[in-house]
Every structure is written in structure tokens, then in C-alpha cells.
Amino acid sequence: MTHAYDELYLKKARSLLAGSLDYAVNTLHYKPTEFYSMFLKCDLCDRFESGDPFLIAGHSGIELALLVIEKITGENNYIPPTSLTASKSREYWCGWALAFYQWYSSISLRQLEKTVPIDDILCMYDKYHEMDILHFVERLNELRQQTRLSTYLKELRQLHALSQNDLSQITGIPLKTLQHYEQGTKSLTKANVSYVLSLAHALNCPPEQLLE
């Protein structure tokens, strides 16, 4: 697998994103979604994802947070960090895990945010923060695949000018179950085989196309 940049910078990149998220949330009191959204909007995100050594090796997490905020808001007000155990915070782990996943998969953080928002990743802390990071990678891949399938199902339904209720009546699949598939709260890959066959017939596509 081809990674986003040289592994030489990975450890520093993980601590950089982790430290910036922790500082912005726990010292500057930004909401995680608020600060992360600012990071995704500025060019620092692109430089981070490409493994820019001048950014990754040349800055601390606090400095990155302040740079992001200054670029978006025009303000740069340093406050001493309030936590001496930043590496144990939920936000630190979130940034640490996100940086690894971006490096490992070469998926952009903006693209990832569209399928698995940062709030969802923060909720994964209790289960995954003590596990091997590859378990986290596997779970994110599952969630991204699930989102792609649910989006594809919705697009196919709309292409055939069918409402959810129409498709439910045609296939015999309960409306709520169909809604779960489209919302991604239930996975089509784990659906009853008869449901997949009924959907494929109604939407005029091969069954495997709904599961790829």
C-alpha cells in the first residue's frame, strides 16, 4: 500500500495534529467540530496531508492550533496549556488516530469528514484508544464503505423516481429497515439475501453492485 508521505514524519505528524486538537478544545475552549472545520478549510491541512516537513517537523501542536485560528479568524492569542496530561485526552487521541489513518490510507481528511465526521471518531475513543491502531483503521474502512453503499442505494432509488415508501412496497422490505440502509445505520453487506435480491430487481442492477 502507498502511504501519504514518508513514514519518517509519521510520529511527529500524529503528535502535531493530536496536540493542536487537544490545545484548541481543552485550553482555548473551541468545540472539536469548530476547530477541526477551521483546520480543514485552510492550506495548513493540505501541507499536513502531504507530509510537509517544514510544517510537521517545525511546529508544535500548540503552534499549529494558533496558526489555524489566525488564518481563519485573524486572531492569535496564546494561552498556556491547562492540561499536563494532554496525551490522555479524548481529543488528543482523536487527532493522533486521524493522522495515522490519513497517512495509512492516503484519504484526505476532508473526504473522510464527509463520511465519518469527527464527532463520530471522538465517540470511538472508549472502545479503540487502547487497541492496536489497525483495529481503528479497519473500523473506519467499514464505516466509509457502509456510507458509500447507503448513498449509492439512495441515488439508485432517486434515479428510478421512487420514494422510500414506493421501494418498500415494491420489495416488501419494511420502510424503517430501508431507511436504516439509506442512513447507513444498517449495512447492506449484512442484509438478508432476499432483501438484496429484491432491491437489485426493483432498481434494475446486479445484486453485487449494491454490495461493492
Side-chain angles (χ1 to χ4, degrees):
M1 175 181 286
T2 302
H3 302 305
Y5 49 84
D6 195 315
E7 190 174 359
L8 175 68
Y9 298 105
L10 176 60
K11 183 176 180 180
K12 186 67 173 68
R14 296 176 80 181
S15 64
L16 183 66
L17 188 58
S20 67
L21 193 57
D22 174 81
Y23 178 73
V25 173
N26 295 311
T27 296
L28 302 182
H29 305 298
Y30 281 88
K31 293 180 180 178
T33 51
E34 183 183 10
F35 172 75
Y36 191 59
S37 177
M38 289 194 291
F39 174 65
L40 295 181
K41 287 177 182 176
C42 69
D43 66 316
L44 293 169
C45 178
D46 300 301
R47 292 174 59 191
F48 177 84
E49 291 176 341
S50 66
D52 181 343
F54 294 103
L55 175 67
I56 291 176
H59 295 81
S60 68
I62 292 174
E63 289 170 336
L64 175 60
L66 293 172
L67 280 173
V68 168
I69 293 166
E70 183 176 21
K71 278 182 173 288
I72 301 299
T73 69
E75 299 177 358
N76 188 337
N77 298 315
Y78 170 76
I79 299 174
T82 57
S83 173
L84 298 178
T85 56
S87 62
K88 294 184 179 180
S89 77
R90 185 178 299 265
E91 292 75 24
Y92 189 96
W93 173 83
C94 181
W96 179 84
L98 275 171
F100 183 87
Y101 186 81
Q102 187 274 321
W103 169 82
Y104 186 85
S105 66
S106 295
I107 299 296
S108 77
L109 293 172
R110 296 184 184 99
Q111 186 178 349
L112 178 61
E113 177 69 8
K114 292 178 181 178
T115 53
V116 190
I118 190 172
D119 278 346
D120 291 351
I121 293 173
L122 285 164
C123 289
M124 297 168 71
Y125 171 82
D126 290 336
K127 182 174 182 179
Y128 289 96
H129 78 283
E130 291 185 345
M131 288 188 183
D132 186 290
I133 190 64
L134 291 181
H135 290 295
F136 171 77
V137 169
E138 289 173 6
R139 181 56 181 153
L140 275 200
N141 286 338
E142 288 174 2
L143 291 172
R144 290 182 59 242
Q145 172 71 351
Q146 192 169 312
T147 301
R148 283 199 299 270
L149 292 175
S150 63
T151 301
Y152 182 58
L153 175 61
K154 181 178 180 180
E155 289 175 351
L156 275 179
R157 174 178 61 75
Q158 292 175 337
L159 183 65
H160 287 76
L162 296 170
S163 67
Q164 288 181 333
N165 192 56
D166 291 335
L167 189 56
S168 173
Q169 291 182 358
I170 293 170
T171 60
I173 299 173
L175 179 58
K176 280 196 173 182
T177 300
L178 193 59
Q179 289 171 338
H180 282 305
Y181 290 148
E182 286 200 4
Q183 292 164 2
T185 52
K186 283 188 177 181
S187 175
L188 269 173
T189 58
K190 298 178 182 179
N192 186 301
V193 174
S194 65
Y195 283 3
V196 176
L197 293 175
S198 295
L199 285 168
H201 180 72
L203 299 172
N204 194 30
C205 69
E208 59 271 18
Q209 195 170 340
L210 290 170
L211 304 176
E212 291 176 351

